[in-house]
Amino acid sequence: MGENKKKKCIVHFEPSGLTTDVPAGTVLLEAAHKVGIYLSSICGGDGYCGKCKVIIDEGQFQSRPTTLLTPNEINENVVLACQTKILSNMTVTVPKSHALQAGQILMDTDAQRFRELTGEAGAGVFKFDPLVRKLCVEMSAPTVHDHTADHERLYVAIREQIDAPIMQTGFRILQGLSRLLCEANYKVAVTIGRRGGTTEVIEVEPGNRCKTNFAVAVDLGTTTVVAHLIDLANATTVDTEATYNSQIKFGEDYIRRIIYAEENNAFEEMQSHIVHDVNDLIVTLAARKRIDLQDITAVVCAGNTAMVHFLLNLDPTRIRREPYIASVGFMPPIRAAESGIQINKRGLLYCLPSVAAYVGSDIVAGVLATRLYTKKNLSLFVDIGTNGEVVLGNRDWLVCASSSAGPAFEGSGVKHGMRAGAGAIEKLTVCPDASIEFKTIGDTRPAGICGSGLLDTLAELFTKSIIDRTGRFKTDGDFRLTEGEEGQQFQLVPAGDGYQEIVITQTDINNLIRSKAGVFAAIRVLMASTQTKPEDLDAIYLAGGFGNFLNTKQAITIGMLPDVPLEKIRFVGNTSIAGAKTVLLSRKALETAEKIAKSMTYFDLMSHPGYMDEFIRANFLPHTDLSLFPTVKLATEKI
Amino acid sequence: MGENKKKKCIVHFEPSGLTTDVPAGTVLLEAAHKVGIYLSSICGGDGYCGKCKVIIDEGQFQSRPTTLLTPNEINENVVLACQTKILSNMTVTVPKSHALQAGQILMDTDAQRFRELTGEAGAGVFKFDPLVRKLCVEMSAPTVHDHTADHERLYVAIREQIDAPIMQTGFRILQGLSRLLCEANYKVAVTIGRRGGTTEVIEVEPGNRCKTNFAVAVDLGTTTVVAHLIDLANATTVDTEATYNSQIKFGEDYIRRIIYAEENNAFEEMQSHIVHDVNDLIVTLAARKRIDLQDITAVVCAGNTAMVHFLLNLDPTRIRREPYIASVGFMPPIRAAESGIQINKRGLLYCLPSVAAYVGSDIVAGVLATRLYTKKNLSLFVDIGTNGEVVLGNRDWLVCASSSAGPAFEGSGVKHGMRAGAGAIEKLTVCPDASIEFKTIGDTRPAGICGSGLLDTLAELFTKSIIDRTGRFKTDGDFRLTEGEEGQQFQLVPAGDGYQEIVITQTDINNLIRSKAGVFAAIRVLMASTQTKPEDLDAIYLAGGFGNFLNTKQAITIGMLPDVPLEKIRFVGNTSIAGAKTVLLSRKALETAEKIAKSMTYFDLMSHPGYMDEFIRANFLPHTDLSLFPTVKLATEKI
């Protein structure tokens, strides 16, 4: 074994032509990363996402058995790179189809579609004034008559360009400053970061590298982690990527993960997982755009309170215990490296502020991105993720609550549920002839169903009378209704060439109904507490990583949102990342986020007397009280 | 040898009764330090200061030969602890006389005597508002109805006590905060430090340790390093200590040290020496007062620009090259640990701001301490150290210059010169009967001559006609005038019981005259440039580590200071440390120091056309132009 490990194997990748040598026994995924080839590994190399398929053209290898390869694929030497050890020199082909282009397209479309909401530069909502930026600083060299020290000379020159009354510079920079200024003839690129009222000199480089400066906005979801790479020189989103949160193996919701961490003293392990996910996204984005990690100087995160605590290894244990307290709500910027995030070694990590243990910075980001806090009339903001958070208010007041809805609409807890990535069914109709029409993200082979597809499915099954108002399958013999391992299930897509059968089970439906019921109950509590009637609502913003074609009508049909005129409902996509990006691009936006977080009044639903009753009533399609859903009543009566 | 080293020896110290065990071969000084006994080792254990004498009552040892012990001492088993290896169990007596009490007394007296200048708390000059302080913070515990996160809860409570609009907290503190607050029932001691406009939470401790908080003020001299230990609870100086700057072996002045560092790439070595000196002082003070180093939370340094650069390993090379530029003039606070200074691991290191490469923060400290910048009338501030810096001005303007006077008045470059510590002759008179009266610091056996003693000596030799106006010994056969190794020398003190002969040589006298000439020439240039006449001067402040009994009249006699009425001259001692202490105790004082540093106009004497002429003219006693010194002319004519 010792001998074998010492043997070096040359691995040649096609079509890139890149080559590396690694010790025999090295996992193929690692060899690919080593040579700079990005293979998607959203499961973190654990062998269950099936994303890292490659073809071994030549050479010996050893693969663990997997159910994610078809017999055909196995015959063609297709392997999961993360489950395959290299035993000899080899040639490997990386299929184009396994890159995440489809997923990218979705994210980019997202970025375009919601631009007017997010206040990106040019939109005029917030002034372009990023948290971290590069300045081209030119100074006159010192003379006997101008003997200002180098450090103060630099400050004077910086202050000619920006407002920076309080400045700080890292000690290591100061130690090398004099030599650097001399060698660069007093012309340097200075990276500055804003930390509260303080402006920090993060990096000083010789010459003019002022245009090369990137940052990453991250949405830290319980189920999904999304990252956008931003070019700070022109405030554009150059690329996006998403992955599953690899903490998922410790529990689907964060409460279970906190319990796991407590019972196993695994806080560092939890941190290491989420940090790994974020790093994986950043490395992927950087590699794809051929950007040096040193040129990424900031990361801005939004996420629920627990995820932010896990990321920073702050104590999350009191989030789950009365009186439900966060360690930190307004996290000060720190060096990204302090948390393990690998960007520029002095780059900064910002986290948006949160409201409470159960209303995190992702929700503050949503309020910021939808600009709900600026409007005269009342709006409702609903973010469906692993939890369902609701905000109601206007420019005068904001109330919020969180229902532990469960991650059904993120595809978790649903047999064929998946993230809104390539191959996900994002739109689905049951036709009058009982055939099913659907559309997948990227128009590829169907791989599963994402949030918007699940919403469609639930609504279609209900309106086409395949399930009753309690969500149970009607047993009048639809040919698609079969008995699966988990009881009754409805076939949405039969197995085809290169893809499996896709079904929805009774359990799936129950989970989806419970999830929407939690959200609607939360909405009802907030509206009742503030004496808001549905007609008082000027707008409903529905956020979440659903997919592109969210049918807002269906959200009323299943009783997730109040029955308001459809034009009042806007699907706004992932507002957590939109808000994070807005903050990244404008200091003023961060200040605004802080004001929003401070001004939001939190309702604790667990201790709220009316919540449980509302939840039980909402566990029907659309609701026990049909008078709350007149348009749905009318439509179902028509059938 | 291997065997021998492994053998453990028990070492018992008298009169303390303390015992330790160490491996055979351990140096006795280290064994003493290990058990917490402070033995002065101002040479850093190199065996040339002779300060660490102890008596071995019993046991085997091995000592390196030394000239610092008399034959009597050797017979009595007196050894230098730093030059002695322990070979067996032993009993050691630490003589009381070898503790530095006498030195301490001098420093404490200093602290008392100049209190009115230094703006210590109570003096009313600056409000007591130290750079670092401890607060006792009590919060109400969170409830369901008061779910503020722990971090923000702490901030709210801190802001109830102090003005802190911008706050920062170290990431590691945040990570442990929640648990700590819980366990401490939300009653904690919080150490806060001021960094520019930012207030940093340096430490959070459970319970009430609010009264235990210390800081150290340091004067970083080229020849001498002085430290004062301050109790921040009541703003008192609890102890003081001084040592020689151990960089001295690399050159007496800092220019030579910069050259050495450049030629040998020894910047880190230079830093390590001065950091070692500062640590040695801090450890000594802490051990003597039985204070935990963790309870020292700040160090404030004043010193010349080069020494501050060495301490921080900032690039000092351009200090010595035209156009003579510092890397950093206004050094931001850093963690003391970053520079290697061993106090609380998150404790802060502040350096007072400097004016130019040759007018350092020690001079800014002096202007602050003497309050020259507040006065309507003109004053002159003269600081005699290794260099001689001069400041002239009032509340409207300040000009300054530095003469490379050389360290003669600090005792360096003078055969029997020494720091103003125990045993130093600080006062000396040549009596009419040619006998010599003198006084030593601590009234102990004479060990050498410090600054004030050297000033007296030069003036007395001149006024008693033992030397002529050029400083040369008159050869009319004074019985004390002998031929030594370095040519003619004058015996000040004959050898006695336990002390050596003390003489002053022709070279000593030449060095002293050159030193005073540099200072006077600088004064002349500043006065001429600002058209200031001696009668315009309201006060002359003379600073330096001279000794307690500086005879200001003699400073005129030798032509170091302008011939003004004696009541206008005030000896103000070590204003560098006084200013550092003032800053430590008041944020406002630090702000004022920054204003002072910014407002001072620096004159570069090297490039000044008139300086060299003035210097040559001043190389006489008192001067070539006697009309500048009418009172001296009168006095010498009388003789």
Side-chain angles (χ1 to χ4, degrees):
Chain A
M1 177 184 136
E3 267 316 295
N4 198 29
K5 280 219 170 166
K6 274 172 205 158
K7 199 179 96 184
K8 283 271 178 182
C9 303
I10 297 165
V11 187
H12 183 78
F13 291 93
E14 290 292 354
S16 63
L18 294 166
T19 295
T20 184
D21 62 333
V22 293
T26 301
V27 172
L28 185 50
L29 184 67
E30 286 169 23
H33 280 180
K34 188 185 165 199
V35 79
I37 291 172
Y38 174 71
L39 291 172
S40 173
S41 62
I42 55 177
C43 67
D46 286 351
Y48 63 76
C49 77
K51 286 281 179 187
C52 59
K53 288 178 191 170
V54 294
I55 303 156
I56 311 241
D57 300 317
E58 217 183 304
Q60 292 182 301
F61 61 92
Q62 185 189 344
S63 276
R64 280 197 219 145
T66 172
T67 57
L68 294 169
L69 296 171
T70 64
N72 267 353
E73 283 176 328
I74 291 168
N75 284 339
E76 286 165 9
N77 271 356
V78 174
V79 298
L80 297 185
C82 73
Q83 300 298 306
T84 302
K85 284 185 182 171
I86 298 161
L87 299 182
S88 73
N89 295 348
M90 59 167 58
T91 303
V92 180
T93 294
V94 181
K96 265 195 178 173
S97 64
H98 293 296
L100 277 187
Q101 275 97 345
Q104 273 172 252
I105 291 161
L106 174 68
M107 298 297 167
D108 278 340
T109 315
D110 242 44
Q112 289 297 333
R113 192 145 55 92
F114 305 118
R115 182 153 292 175
E116 76 268 30
L117 290 169
T118 64
E120 282 209 52
V125 179
F126 291 105
K127 186 181 144 207
F128 177 66
D129 179 13
L131 295 178
V132 168
R133 65 193 293 186
K134 258 191 189 179
L135 305 171
C136 187
V137 178
E138 218 167 331
M139 292 152 271
S140 55
T143 66
V144 175
H145 305 290
D146 173 14
H147 58 79
T148 304
D150 284 327
H151 170 241
E152 287 81 52
R153 187 172 295 272
L154 181 69
Y155 276 19
V156 168
I158 290 172
R159 285 179 173 137
E160 279 168 11
Q161 296 190 37
I162 58 161
D163 183 41
I166 303 172
M167 291 186 68
Q168 276 183 0
T169 302
F171 185 38
R172 302 295 157 200
I173 294 179
L174 288 184
Q175 290 185 320
L177 184 65
S178 225
R179 179 176 297 264
L180 192 146
L181 290 185
C182 254
E183 288 173 358
N185 287 320
Y186 286 85
K187 185 175 175 182
V188 288
V190 179
T191 310
I192 58 136
R194 307 292 196 159
R195 302 177 85 154
T198 306
T199 300
E200 181 179 332
V201 174
I202 292 176
E203 188 76 274
V204 184
E205 297 162 282
N208 188 345
R209 297 196 71 243
C210 320
K211 295 293 175 199
T212 314
N213 193 22
F214 295 87
V216 176
V218 176
D219 166 37
L220 288 175
T222 307
T223 306
T224 312
V225 185
V226 182
H228 286 202
L229 177 67
I230 318 291
D231 185 340
L232 289 174
N234 52 20
T236 54
T237 303
V238 292
D239 201 355
T240 67
E241 191 50 90
T243 183
Y244 285 113
N245 186 324
S246 63
Q247 289 180 339
I248 220 155
K249 59 181 138 186
F250 305 110
E252 289 204 338
D253 61 71
Y254 56 70
I255 297 295
R256 275 184 236 178
R257 295 183 202 170
I258 294 172
I259 293 169
Y260 174 87
E262 276 196 87
E263 286 178 351
N264 300 279
N265 192 22
F267 297 102
E268 283 182 18
E269 189 182 357
M270 295 303 267
Q271 181 187 33
S272 141
H273 271 83
I274 182 68
V275 167
H276 175 90
D277 292 340
V278 173
N279 279 335
D280 206 31
L281 291 171
I282 293 174
V283 167
T284 301
L285 290 167
R288 214 147 62 194
K289 296 295 164 185
R290 300 184 184 282
I291 289 167
D292 189 333
L293 288 180
Q294 288 301 313
D295 287 327
I296 301 178
T297 54
V299 171
V300 177
C301 285
N304 63 58
T305 306
M307 285 314 307
V308 171
H309 277 56
F310 279 133
L311 180 78
L312 302 171
N313 198 9
L314 298 169
D315 182 357
T317 57
R318 296 167 71 221
I319 288 175
R320 75 176 186 93
R321 285 198 182 84
E322 212 183 280
Y324 314 113
I325 302 300
S327 286
V328 180
F330 290 67
M331 181 65 200
I334 59 168
R335 297 221 179 283
E338 282 190 275
S339 71
I341 291 179
Q342 284 158 17
I343 57 169
N344 182 295
K345 62 183 178 295
R346 280 187 285 261
L348 297 178
L349 169 64
Y350 298 83
C351 293
L352 267 67
S354 65
V355 177
Y358 296 122
V359 174
S361 54
D362 48 349
I363 304 310
V364 173
V367 172
L368 181 76
T370 57
R371 309 194 61 227
L372 191 143
Y373 68 99
T374 65
K375 296 180 202 304
K376 191 178 167 192
N377 294 324
L378 288 177
S379 313
L380 192 62
F381 170 76
V382 180
D383 191 2
I384 311 288
T386 306
N387 288 4
E389 291 95 344
V390 179
V391 182
L392 172 66
N394 58 15
R395 66 187 182 195
D396 297 319
W397 54 266
L398 295 164
V399 295
C400 61
S402 171
S403 81
S404 51
F409 285 98
E410 288 200 299
S412 196
V414 173
K415 188 178 174 77
H416 289 125
M418 70 177 282
R419 179 168 66 78
I425 295 174
E426 56 176 342
K427 192 175 175 181
L428 183 142
T429 319
V430 180
C431 301
D433 66 352
S435 71
I436 296 199
E437 281 179 3
F438 64 89
K439 189 192 169 307
T440 61
I441 295 178
D443 294 317
T444 64
R445 301 176 289 189
I449 327 169
C450 70
S452 52
L454 290 169
L455 188 67
D456 280 354
T457 302
L458 190 61
E460 288 286 295
L461 292 181
F462 172 53
T463 54
K464 304 295 157 59
S465 283
I466 297 160
I467 54 174
D468 65 17
R469 281 183 62 205
T470 67
R472 259 180 295 238
F473 285 118
K474 293 183 180 175
T475 49
D476 51 2
D478 190 297
F479 71 96
R480 292 179 180 276
L481 207 57
T482 59
E483 199 70 24
E485 284 169 16
E486 299 167 25
Q488 278 194 304
Q489 62 184 32
F490 185 82
Q491 186 189 64
L492 295 171
V493 183
D497 181 24
Y499 57 90
Q500 61 188 344
E501 177 192 30
I502 295 174
V503 301
I504 190 136
T505 69
Q506 186 65 62
T507 311
D508 294 347
I509 291 168
N510 296 347
N511 284 341
L512 289 166
I513 291 178
R514 199 158 45 242
S515 186
K516 77 93 190 170
V519 172
F520 190 73
I523 294 171
R524 288 278 292 170
V525 165
L526 289 189
M527 288 179 70
S529 302
T530 58
Q531 294 177 307
T532 303
K533 291 185 288 291
E535 55 269 31
D536 298 335
L537 293 175
D538 207 45
I540 298 179
Y541 300 99
L542 180 58
F546 282 104
N548 276 320
F549 294 94
L550 187 120
N551 187 331
T552 50
K553 181 168 179 280
Q554 307 289 42
I556 296 175
T557 302
I558 65 165
M560 181 192 274
L561 298 183
D563 195 351
V564 299
L566 282 185
E567 65 272 18
K568 289 193 176 180
I569 305 181
R570 295 186 62 188
F571 173 54
V572 287
N574 185 338
T575 50
S576 175
I577 194 116
K581 228 149 66 168
T582 307
V583 162
L584 173 58
L585 293 173
S586 179
R587 267 200 294 168
K588 185 78 188 161
L590 178 55
E591 281 170 28
T592 304
E594 285 165 358
K595 277 185 205 155
I596 290 169
K598 273 180 199 147
S599 69
M600 280 166 82
T601 304
Y602 172 68
F603 278 68
D604 178 39
L605 295 181
M606 292 304 113
S607 66
H608 192 281
Y611 178 71
M612 202 33 90
D613 288 344
E614 286 291 353
F615 177 67
I616 290 164
R617 280 182 224 137
N619 258 289
F620 286 80
L621 294 171
H623 197 271
T624 48
D625 182 1
L626 272 182
S627 75
L628 291 174
F629 291 87
T631 67
V632 183
K633 184 162 181 271
L634 206 64
T636 48
E637 278 168 1
K638 270 185 201 161
I639 296 163
Chain B
M1 177 186 139
E3 266 317 294
N4 197 30
K5 279 218 169 165
K6 275 174 205 156
K7 199 178 95 182
K8 284 271 179 181
C9 303
I10 297 165
V11 186
H12 183 79
F13 291 92
E14 291 292 355
S16 63
L18 293 167
T19 296
T20 183
D21 62 334
V22 293
T26 301
V27 171
L28 185 50
L29 185 68
E30 286 168 24
H33 280 181
K34 187 184 165 199
V35 79
I37 290 173
Y38 174 71
L39 291 172
S40 174
S41 62
I42 56 176
C43 68
D46 286 350
Y48 63 75
C49 75
K51 285 283 180 186
C52 60
K53 288 178 191 170
V54 295
I55 303 156
I56 311 242
D57 301 318
E58 216 183 308
Q60 293 182 300
F61 61 93
Q62 185 188 345
S63 276
R64 281 197 218 144
T66 174
T67 58
L68 294 168
L69 295 171
T70 64
N72 266 353
E73 284 177 328
I74 291 168
N75 284 339
E76 285 166 8
N77 273 355
V78 173
V79 298
L80 298 184
C82 73
Q83 300 297 307
T84 302
K85 285 186 181 169
I86 299 161
L87 299 181
S88 73
N89 294 348
M90 58 168 58
T91 303
V92 179
T93 294
V94 180
K96 264 197 181 172
S97 63
H98 293 295
L100 276 187
Q101 276 97 346
Q104 274 172 253
I105 291 161
L106 173 68
M107 298 296 169
D108 278 340
T109 314
D110 243 43
Q112 289 297 331
R113 193 145 55 92
F114 305 117
R115 183 152 292 176
E116 77 268 29
L117 292 168
T118 64
E120 281 209 53
V125 179
F126 292 106
K127 186 182 144 208
F128 177 67
D129 179 15
L131 294 179
V132 168
R133 65 193 292 185
K134 258 191 189 180
L135 305 171
C136 188
V137 178
E138 218 167 332
M139 293 152 270
S140 56
T143 66
V144 175
H145 305 289
D146 172 15
H147 58 80
T148 304
D150 284 327
H151 170 240
E152 288 79 51
R153 186 173 296 271
L154 181 69
Y155 276 18
V156 167
I158 290 172
R159 285 180 173 136
E160 279 169 11
Q161 296 190 36
I162 58 161
D163 183 41
I166 302 172
M167 292 187 69
Q168 276 183 0
T169 302
F171 185 37
R172 302 295 157 202
I173 294 179
L174 288 183
Q175 290 185 320
L177 185 65
S178 226
R179 181 176 296 264
L180 191 146
L181 289 184
C182 253
E183 287 172 0
N185 288 321
Y186 286 85
K187 185 175 176 182
V188 288
V190 179
T191 310
I192 58 136
R194 309 291 195 158
R195 302 177 85 154
T198 306
T199 301
E200 181 179 331
V201 175
I202 292 176
E203 188 76 273
V204 184
E205 297 163 282
N208 189 346
R209 296 195 71 241
C210 319
K211 295 292 175 201
T212 314
N213 194 21
F214 295 88
V216 176
V218 176
D219 166 37
L220 288 175
T222 307
T223 306
T224 313
V225 185
V226 182
H228 286 202
L229 177 68
I230 318 291
D231 185 339
L232 289 174
N234 51 20
T236 54
T237 304
V238 291
D239 201 355
T240 68
E241 191 51 89
T243 182
Y244 284 114
N245 186 324
S246 63
Q247 290 180 337
I248 220 153
K249 59 181 136 185
F250 304 111
E252 288 203 339
D253 61 71
Y254 56 71
I255 297 295
R256 277 184 235 178
R257 295 183 202 170
I258 294 172
I259 293 169
Y260 174 87
E262 277 196 86
E263 287 178 351
N264 300 280
N265 193 19
F267 297 101
E268 283 183 17
E269 189 183 358
M270 295 304 269
Q271 180 188 33
S272 140
H273 270 83
I274 181 67
V275 168
H276 175 90
D277 292 341
V278 173
N279 279 334
D280 205 32
L281 291 171
I282 293 174
V283 167
T284 301
L285 290 167
R288 213 148 64 195
K289 295 296 164 183
R290 298 182 186 283
I291 289 167
D292 189 332
L293 288 179
Q294 288 302 313
D295 287 327
I296 301 178
T297 54
V299 171
V300 177
C301 285
N304 63 59
T305 306
M307 285 314 307
V308 170
H309 277 56
F310 279 133
L311 180 78
L312 302 171
N313 198 11
L314 298 169
D315 182 357
T317 58
R318 296 168 72 222
I319 288 175
R320 74 177 187 91
R321 285 198 182 86
E322 212 183 279
Y324 316 112
I325 303 300
S327 286
V328 181
F330 290 66
M331 180 67 199
I334 59 168
R335 297 221 180 284
E338 282 191 274
S339 71
I341 291 179
Q342 285 158 19
I343 56 169
N344 182 296
K345 63 182 177 295
R346 280 188 285 261
L348 297 177
L349 169 64
Y350 299 84
C351 293
L352 267 67
S354 65
V355 177
Y358 297 122
V359 174
S361 54
D362 48 349
I363 303 310
V364 173
V367 173
L368 181 76
T370 57
R371 309 192 63 227
L372 191 142
Y373 68 99
T374 64
K375 295 181 203 301
K376 192 179 168 192
N377 295 322
L378 288 176
S379 315
L380 192 63
F381 170 76
V382 180
D383 191 2
I384 312 287
T386 307
N387 288 2
E389 292 95 344
V390 179
V391 182
L392 172 65
N394 58 16
R395 66 188 180 193
D396 297 320
W397 55 267
L398 295 164
V399 295
C400 61
S402 171
S403 79
S404 51
F409 286 98
E410 289 200 299
S412 196
V414 172
K415 189 179 173 77
H416 288 127
M418 70 177 283
R419 179 168 66 78
I425 295 174
E426 56 176 344
K427 193 177 176 181
L428 181 142
T429 319
V430 179
C431 300
D433 65 351
S435 72
I436 298 202
E437 282 180 1
F438 65 88
K439 188 192 169 308
T440 62
I441 296 178
D443 294 317
T444 64
R445 301 176 289 188
I449 327 169
C450 71
S452 53
L454 290 167
L455 189 68
D456 279 355
T457 301
L458 190 61
E460 287 286 295
L461 293 180
F462 172 51
T463 53
K464 303 296 156 60
S465 282
I466 297 160
I467 55 175
D468 65 17
R469 281 184 60 206
T470 69
R472 259 179 296 237
F473 285 118
K474 293 182 180 175
T475 49
D476 52 359
D478 191 295
F479 71 96
R480 291 180 181 273
L481 209 55
T482 60
E483 200 69 24
E485 285 168 16
E486 299 167 24
Q488 278 194 304
Q489 61 185 32
F490 185 82
Q491 186 189 65
L492 294 171
V493 184
D497 183 24
Y499 58 91
Q500 61 187 345
E501 177 191 30
I502 295 174
V503 302
I504 190 135
T505 70
Q506 186 65 62
T507 312
D508 295 345
I509 290 167
N510 296 347
N511 284 342
L512 289 167
I513 290 177
R514 201 159 42 243
S515 185
K516 77 93 189 170
V519 171
F520 190 72
I523 293 171
R524 288 279 290 170
V525 166
L526 290 189
M527 287 179 70
S529 302
T530 56
Q531 295 177 303
T532 303
K533 293 184 287 289
E535 53 269 33
D536 298 335
L537 294 174
D538 208 46
I540 298 180
Y541 300 100
L542 181 59
F546 283 102
N548 277 321
F549 295 94
L550 186 121
N551 187 331
T552 51
K553 182 166 178 281
Q554 308 287 42
I556 296 175
T557 302
I558 65 165
M560 180 192 274
L561 297 183
D563 195 351
V564 299
L566 282 185
E567 64 272 19
K568 288 193 177 180
I569 305 181
R570 296 186 62 185
F571 173 54
V572 289
N574 184 339
T575 49
S576 176
I577 194 120
K581 230 151 63 168
T582 306
V583 161
L584 173 59
L585 294 174
S586 178
R587 266 200 297 168
K588 185 80 186 159
L590 178 55
E591 280 171 27
T592 304
E594 285 165 358
K595 278 185 204 155
I596 290 169
K598 273 180 199 148
S599 68
M600 280 166 82
T601 304
Y602 171 68
F603 277 67
D604 177 39
L605 296 181
M606 293 303 114
S607 67
H608 192 279
Y611 178 71
M612 202 32 89
D613 289 345
E614 287 289 353
F615 176 67
I616 290 164
R617 279 183 223 135
N619 258 289
F620 286 81
L621 293 171
H623 198 270
T624 49
D625 182 0
L626 272 181
S627 74
L628 291 174
F629 292 87
T631 65
V632 183
K633 185 164 181 268
L634 207 64
T636 49
E637 277 167 3
K638 270 185 202 161
I639 295 162

